Amino acid sequence: MTTPPLIEFSRVSKIYGRGEASIRALDHVDLAIREHEFVAIMGPSGSGKSTAMNILGCLDVPSAGDYLFQGISTTGFDRAQLTMLRRHMLGFVFQGFNLLPRTSAVENVELPLIYRGMPAADRHRLAKEALGLVGLGGREHHKTQELSGGQQQRVAIARAIVTRPSLLLADEPTGNLDTKTSIEIMDLMTRLNREQGITIVMVTHEPDIAAYAQRLLRFVDGKLETETAHQGRAGHVS
């Protein structure tokens, strides 16, 4: 039996507002992403890419169609069920890092595990392991303001993967970083995908960043216009 895609849109539409004021942000979109893929999403402002990411992250729901996670329809999930799916299956990385400012790196990474009710010793161990994976071993007790922008994004990535999610969603993860640091972060994400098997879906407006992915989805006017497959760039972070 063929394994279903990790995530799948089946004729997904999203409409905001009513009547003549309504906006169709997504228009009957079909897409499928399998485990261990690294996929980039691009498109102009208003194309629907952010709406698609919000639905993938269970932060929003379709107006029509179906979003399936591991072959299971999420249609009809209530708020508590969507929260549980986010908490246990998804990791998020944002452009703005979203770290607690006067808190250490390890405490920031532990945060999702606190929500799960994990004992302190266990969450501290897993947080240190996650920081090691992103190249921040030995900086566990540095406060956020003591870290560079690139290091802060590494902490944010560690926080996203500490729960060992099935899917990592990255929204403009290099948007606040310079070119050199952006390359370092993308090499890291490539390594996490290839060596740790983490499925990654990333929104970006930069073609050079999208080139790291194995597949590119381009949205235009709420529709998935093109899909392009390529090898992606090889990471070289040690």
Side-chain angles (χ1 to χ4, degrees), residues 113-126:
L113 304 177
I114 293 174
Y115 293 145
R116 286 191 177 187
M118 183 175 290
D122 291 338
R123 66 177 186 251
H124 190 74
R125 173 179 55 81
L126 290 175

Side-chain angles (χ1 to χ4, degrees), residues 170-183:
D171 189 0
E172 300 282 4
T174 62
N176 284 341
L177 304 175
D178 59 39
T179 300
K180 178 179 180 294
T181 307
S182 294
I183 291 171

Side-chain angles (χ1 to χ4, degrees), residues 179-195:
T179 300
K180 178 179 180 294
T181 307
S182 294
I183 291 171
E184 293 173 355
I185 292 299
M186 292 313 302
D187 283 346
L188 168 61
M189 294 183 68
T190 299
R191 179 163 58 83
L192 291 172
N193 170 252
R194 295 182 179 178
E195 297 179 8

Side-chain angles (χ1 to χ4, degrees), residues 57 107 134 140 154 165 182 193 220:
E107 289 170 326
V134 302
E140 296 93 339
R154 286 173 184 263
S182 294
N193 170 252
V220 178

Side-chain angles (χ1 to χ4, degrees), residues 47 95 101 124 129 203 238:
S47 64
Q95 176 177 342
H124 190 74
E129 289 177 3
V203 163
S238 60

Side-chain angles (χ1 to χ4, degrees), residues 1-158:
M1 183 178 294
T2 303
T3 303
L6 176 63
I7 49 178
E8 184 175 5
F9 277 7
S10 177
R11 305 290 288 168
V12 165
S13 294
K14 182 64 183 182
I15 300 171
Y16 296 104
R18 296 182 178 180
E20 294 183 1
S22 66
I23 298 173
R24 185 175 289 270
L26 292 177
D27 189 8
H28 297 94
V29 173
D30 291 314
L31 65 82
I33 296 172
R34 297 197 172 274
E35 275 194 301
H36 313 310
E37 277 199 281
F38 186 170
V39 176
I41 296 177
M42 296 189 74
S45 178
S47 64
K49 62 183 187 297
S50 295
T51 300
M53 282 288 277
N54 285 339
I55 293 174
L56 290 173
C58 297
L59 300 169
D60 204 348
V61 296
S63 302
D66 199 4
Y67 171 36
L68 296 93
F69 194 96
Q70 294 182 334
I72 298 172
S73 170
T74 63
T75 298
F77 275 24
D78 60 25
R79 184 174 298 179
Q81 289 172 307
L82 293 172
T83 298
M84 290 298 290
L85 182 55
R86 287 197 304 271
R87 186 173 295 172
H88 291 275
M89 307 300 288
L90 307 177
F92 297 88
V93 178
F94 301 99
Q95 176 177 342
F97 315 147
N98 292 355
L99 300 178
L100 299 176
R102 290 179 293 277
T103 306
S104 69
V106 72
E107 289 170 326
N108 269 285
V109 176
E110 285 181 12
L111 195 59
L113 304 177
I114 293 174
Y115 293 145
R116 286 191 177 187
M118 183 175 290
D122 291 338
R123 66 177 186 251
H124 190 74
R125 173 179 55 81
L126 290 175
K128 289 183 66 176
E129 289 177 3
L131 286 167
L133 280 176
V134 302
L136 287 180
R139 291 185 172 86
E140 296 93 339
H141 300 293
H142 283 57
K143 297 291 194 291
T144 298
Q145 61 266 31
E146 298 171 337
L147 300 172
S148 68
Q151 289 171 334
Q152 289 184 47
Q153 190 62 297
R154 286 173 184 263
V155 173
I157 293 170

